[in-house]
Amino acid sequence: DAGVIQSPRHEVTEMGQEVTLRCKPISGHDYLFWYRQTMMRGLELLIYFNNNVPIDDSGMPEDRFSAKMPNASFSTLKIQPSEPRDSAVYFCASRVVNEQFFGPGTRLTVL
Amino acid sequence: AQSVTQPDIHITVSEGASLELRCNYSYGATPYLFWYVQSPGQGLQLLLKYFSGDTLVQGIKGFEAEFKRSQSSFNLRKPSVHWSDAAEYFCAVGARIEGGSEKLVFGKGTKLTVNP
C-alpha cells in the first residue's frame, strides 16, 4: 500500500489566488482528516469526514476554506482567496481501527 | 475541551543515553493517548497508543510510555537513544467522536537532537 498520498508536496502562490490541495486516503479507511501545522499554533484539526460525509468543520478558520470528499478515494481542501497567513503545512490523514495514518503533507507558501 | 502540554520544546541527548519526553493532558473522561514522531519533511508516524488496560504501553522502535492518571501524564521513554531517533515528537489526546473514531488534539511537540 502506498499510504496516504498528497499533492502537490510544495505549493507557492500569490495572495488572492485559489489553492487546491489534494489527498488520496488509504483504501478501506472510513475517516479522513485535514490538519494544518504552523509554528505558532502547532497541529490543528480543520475538518474530518466519515464515509465521505463531512462531520465536523469547526476547525476551518474562515469561509475562504472549503473541503470536499466526492468519493472514498479523493478529497480536496481549497483556499479561495489565499492569504499569506495561510502559509503552513497541510496534512491529510485517514483512519481505520484506532490509528490515523498521515500523508507527507503539502507545504503551502502564500506570497 | 481537551488539551495537551509538552513542556520541553527542545531536548538534546547523547547517543546511547536514556530519554524521557514529558506529556500532560487535560480531558474530562478517560483519555485515549497517542505519541507520534515526525521526521523532517515527513508526515507523522504513530509510535504507540493507550486506550485502556495496562498503563505501560510498548510501541515501535523501542519506545514505551506510561499512563499515570493521578498525574494526568503520558510520558514517552526509551532506554537507549539512537542517532536515527532525532525527530520531533508529538503527544496527542483523543476524544471519541461519531462513528467510533477519535478526534485528536496535539501538543506543540518536542524536538529531539541526538549528539554522537
Side-chain angles (χ1 to χ4, degrees):
Chain A
D1 197 323
V4 176
I5 299 172
Q6 291 187 247
S7 64
R9 293 293 310 275
H10 301 272
E11 176 81 29
V12 180
T13 190
E14 293 189 346
M15 182 175 62
Q17 296 299 306
E18 177 179 299
V19 175
T20 299
L21 311 181
R22 297 173 176 80
C23 174
K24 177 179 169 54
I26 295 172
S27 177
H29 285 196
D30 55 353
Y31 278 85
L32 184 138
F33 302 82
W34 281 100
Y35 293 87
R36 178 172 68 175
Q37 185 178 38
T38 61
M39 291 291 292
M40 290 297 295
R41 300 174 66 89
L43 269 159
E44 304 172 280
L45 176 64
L46 300 177
I47 185 172
Y48 65 90
F49 296 81
N50 181 18
N51 293 321
N52 315 337
V53 177
I55 302 300
D56 184 350
D57 65 354
S58 60
M60 298 283 261
E62 300 173 35
D63 291 345
R64 299 183 295 105
F65 286 70
S66 63
K68 294 182 180 179
M69 192 165 186
N71 56 62
S73 59
F74 184 65
S75 177
T76 59
L77 178 68
K78 185 177 293 186
I79 308 172
Q80 165 64 15
S82 58
E83 296 183 4
R85 60 195 166 119
D86 302 331
S87 297
V89 181
Y90 291 81
F91 289 102
C92 172
S94 66
R95 177 210 180 266
V96 69
V97 194
N98 302 333
E99 180 174 348
Q100 293 186 25
F101 292 80
F102 283 75
T106 295
R107 181 173 295 277
L108 173 64
T109 302
V110 183
L111 303 174
Chain B
Q2 62 266 42
S3 66
V4 175
T5 301
Q6 293 181 247
D8 302 306
I9 297 173
H10 192 183
I11 283 183
T12 299
V13 299
S14 298
E15 191 169 15
S18 64
L19 172 70
E20 182 169 27
L21 302 183
R22 296 183 290 165
C23 172
N24 293 97
Y25 68 89
S26 173
Y27 185 57
T30 300
Y32 301 108
L33 297 162
F34 306 80
W35 274 100
Y36 283 84
V37 60
Q38 184 180 27
S39 297
Q42 302 297 313
L44 280 74
Q45 181 185 19
L46 180 67
L47 286 176
L48 48 78
K49 59 193 175 191
Y50 170 80
F51 276 51
S52 65
D54 194 344
T55 56
L56 185 62
V57 181
Q58 301 298 320
I60 63 171
K61 305 184 180 187
F63 285 92
E64 66 177 27
E66 186 171 11
F67 169 55
K68 293 186 178 179
R69 184 187 300 274
S70 62
Q71 299 177 20
S72 297
S73 69
F74 189 56
N75 294 347
L76 182 70
R77 301 193 293 248
K78 186 169 185 178
S80 178
V81 171
H82 188 263
W83 64 267
S84 60
D85 294 324
E88 191 154 18
Y89 292 80
F90 293 90
C91 181
V93 62
R96 274 291 189 200
I97 58 178
E98 177 183 333
S101 181
E102 305 76 38
K103 183 176 176 179
L104 298 182
V105 172
F106 287 86
K108 291 292 182 67
T110 298
K111 184 176 181 180
L112 174 65
T113 297
V114 181
N115 288 333

